[in-house]
Amino acid sequence: MSRAQLIHTPEEVVRIRRAARVTAAVRDEIAAAAHPGMTTFDLDQIAGEIIRATGGKSAFLNYHGYPGNICISLNDEVVHGIGRPDRVILDGDIVSIDVGVAVDGAMGDTALTFGFGELNSEISRLLDGTGKALLAGCAAARRGNRVRDISMAVEKAARHAGLGIVRDYVGHGCGIRLHEPPEVPNFVMGGDSPRLLPGMVICIEPMLTLGGGAVTLDREDGWTARTRDGSWSAHFEHMVLITDNEPEILTWQKTM
């Protein structure tokens, strides 16, 4: 292991693949269970039951003190929203779920944003643009490229869609631990950039907005990050394995 990247063994990759597949299935089951009229706390409790049914554990619960089974962020909330019994999901809302599952000594991590009811053209542009930015980043996750190439692809897609880029939170390596090197920004940074090598597993996760990229942290719960200007935000995330050939999107599901 170097400070810039972590190369997983073939045995670790087998376990990481399974954890990612389990997590993707959990993500989609949680999304299917969500509906207007329920509270975000209800959804979090359902998520906990779904995760436990896999034989795995929530990778987020108690991680650095985080109190939820998953992260549930609505509308102007960017990431790390906590399920609350007083927060009701309404028709017209968009919901971001960030799901992590630990199983067999490996980690899965993936996120999805979806909406309810009739969504206006701006919200549709946000969801479509963020999804396309994610896929652009995944396509750039090739052997021999650098992390900077992923960042450039995500940033280019975001700018093309006219969306703001959250800079305070970035993607990351993931596999045996939830957060591993390298960090994967959604914008191009200066300085050295790690080269992508077979055996690396990274989470690419654009967090884009209909306004600016600045965020503010909730003073009460200390976790929920919201856009400073109140604009709505979307968050999509895939785990990608760097191979000798095409990138392998470990959390890809046909429902995406």
Side-chain angles (χ1 to χ4, degrees):
M1 172 181 173
S2 74
R3 296 172 64 184
Q5 64 239 125
L6 185 132
I7 310 299
H8 292 285
T9 67
E11 184 274 334
E12 288 174 337
V13 168
V14 169
R15 288 189 284 128
I16 294 166
R17 238 191 222 110
R18 177 170 183 266
R21 185 170 64 249
V22 167
T23 307
V26 167
R27 174 200 63 212
D28 290 351
E29 192 171 346
I30 294 168
H35 59 81
M38 74 188 312
T39 69
T40 55
F41 178 79
D42 292 336
L43 186 59
D44 182 79
Q45 295 303 294
I46 290 170
E49 294 173 1
I50 294 170
I51 291 170
R52 286 188 291 274
T54 69
K57 296 181 179 180
S58 166
F60 298 167
L61 183 61
N62 298 320
Y63 183 73
H64 295 300
Y66 184 77
N69 290 294
I70 63 171
C71 300
I72 308 171
S73 308
L74 271 60
N75 303 335
D76 66 328
E77 297 169 351
V78 180
V79 285
H80 303 158
I82 300 168
R84 291 169 28 183
D86 62 342
R87 189 70 188 274
V88 178
I89 299 172
L90 303 174
D91 224 19
D93 283 343
I94 59 172
V95 181
S96 296
I97 55 171
D98 192 353
V99 181
V101 179
V103 59
D104 291 342
M107 295 286 178
D109 188 9
T110 181
L112 172 67
T113 304
F114 52 94
F116 295 103
E118 291 190 20
L119 303 177
N120 64 40
S121 60
E122 284 294 277
I123 301 302
S124 297
R125 177 169 66 88
L126 171 65
L127 297 180
D128 182 66
T130 309
K132 286 179 177 177
L134 171 61
L135 295 182
C138 291
R142 296 176 176 274
R143 176 185 183 178
N145 278 357
R146 294 185 180 273
V147 168
R148 182 185 293 110
D149 294 300
I150 298 173
S151 303
M152 186 179 300
V154 172
E155 182 173 12
K156 182 178 179 181
R159 301 300 185 201
H160 179 76
L163 299 174
I165 301 172
V166 173
R167 301 171 72 92
D168 290 50
Y169 301 96
V170 299
H172 53 91
C174 181
I176 300 304
R177 296 188 301 276
L178 182 60
H179 290 102
E180 299 174 345
E183 291 190 341
V184 185
N186 295 309
F187 54 93
V188 178
M189 297 181 64
D192 293 335
S193 179
R195 191 171 294 282
L196 302 175
L197 302 172
M200 293 174 65
V201 180
I202 55 175
C203 288
I204 302 171
E205 49 180 321
M207 289 154 272
L208 307 182
T209 79
L210 286 172
V215 299
T216 182
L217 202 61
D218 188 286
R219 293 183 179 181
E220 292 187 8
D221 67 35
W223 283 97
T224 306
R226 296 182 177 86
T227 58
R228 187 171 296 172
D229 59 10
S231 60
W232 285 21
S233 175
H235 176 204
F236 289 81
E237 177 182 14
H238 271 319
M239 286 178 72
V240 181
L241 171 67
I242 310 303
T243 75
D244 286 319
N245 301 299
E246 296 292 317
E248 183 179 343
I249 303 176
L250 301 179
T251 47
W252 181 266
Q253 293 277 91
K254 290 181 179 179
T255 53
M256 291 287 291

